[in-house]
Amino acid sequence: MEGVRHIYVFYKGRKVGTLALHKDYLVAFEYDKDWLVDGFSISPFSLPLEKKVFIPKIDPFEGLYGVFSDSLPDGWGRLLVDREKCKKRGRFI
């Protein structure tokens, strides 16, 4: 996803908030103003339902909140994605 600086988070067709690339490869999160009115916290301990920009620590999820990290491929899946990238560039692992 080269060049992507932010993505929107949706739940059942409603915009929950925005993830944005922050310095040092951290991924910040902010709830959408409409979600704050009648939505819910998507991660009560680390992302309480409040108006602010949340900046994660690098550990334990490599600069991403756990609720979002869980949606990424595991180690095997990342290896397959990396192999596909290399294949497209004419390099092989």
Side-chain angles (χ1 to χ4, degrees):
M1 293 178 35
E2 295 172 23
V4 175
R5 305 290 299 166
H6 67 274
I7 60 173
Y8 300 117
V9 177
F10 287 87
Y11 175 75
K12 294 187 176 183
R14 284 188 60 202
K15 186 176 173 188
V16 176
T18 305
L19 288 169
L21 189 58
H22 189 59
K23 64 181 180 178
D24 300 324
Y25 297 101
L26 300 177
V27 179
F29 176 75
E30 182 177 25
Y31 284 107
D32 185 74
K33 62 181 175 51
D34 293 333
W35 186 264
L36 287 168
V37 174
D38 62 354
F40 56 88
S41 169
I42 58 174
S43 184
F45 294 115
S46 58
L47 297 170
L49 190 62
E50 53 186 71
K51 180 169 178 46
K52 74 180 250 184
V53 175
F54 295 90
I55 309 292
K57 296 178 181 162
I58 195 70
D59 291 323
F61 299 108
E62 299 176 357
L64 189 64
Y65 285 103
V67 67
F68 304 116
S69 181
D70 285 346
S71 67
L72 296 175
D74 60 6
W76 175 248
R78 286 192 301 249
L79 176 64
L80 294 177
V81 169
D82 288 344
R83 283 184 179 174
E84 186 62 25
K85 284 183 191 176
C86 287
K87 196 159 100 176
K88 286 180 180 176
R89 293 178 182 158
R91 301 180 196 138
F92 298 95
I93 296 178

